[in-house]
Amino acid sequence: MPLGPFTLVAIYLTSWWIVLFVILPIGMSSQVGEPPKDGAQWGAPTNPNLKKKFITTTWVSAIVWVVIVGVVWLGLIPVPQINPESLPAL
């Protein structure tokens, strides 16, 4: 397996943030029609359901992570090996 533990965690965290920004707007309805009474902004959702969206983001990004790691592990996308001796001297 060409991926180390740091790379695996980095791939998961990156996919988690991308999936979060995809899932955040799902099911949103803004306060339309009447002005907000509690000091909220006009475009603020009445119930954002953040806990549910974070849980959904976690399991969807786990699936995305498994697919990415599986593709790399099967060799469909090769990960280049960096040889320190072949790098130019600074």
Side-chain angles (χ1 to χ4, degrees), residues 15-88:
S15 66
W16 192 91
W17 278 103
I18 293 171
V19 170
L20 174 67
F21 288 126
V22 169
I23 289 181
L24 274 178
I26 295 175
M28 289 301 217
S29 62
S30 60
Q31 298 173 352
V32 179
E34 63 183 46
K37 297 176 179 74
D38 59 354
Q41 294 293 321
W42 276 92
T46 55
N47 188 9
N49 293 326
L50 289 179
K51 183 177 180 182
K52 180 180 176 184
K53 290 184 180 189
F54 285 165
I55 292 170
T56 304
T57 299
T58 301
W59 68 264
V60 169
S61 61
I63 294 171
V64 169
W65 180 80
V66 166
V67 169
I68 291 171
V69 171
V71 165
V72 171
W73 186 68
L74 290 174
L76 299 174
I77 297 178
V79 177
Q81 296 295 324
I82 298 175
N83 187 359
E85 289 97 29
S86 66
L87 296 175

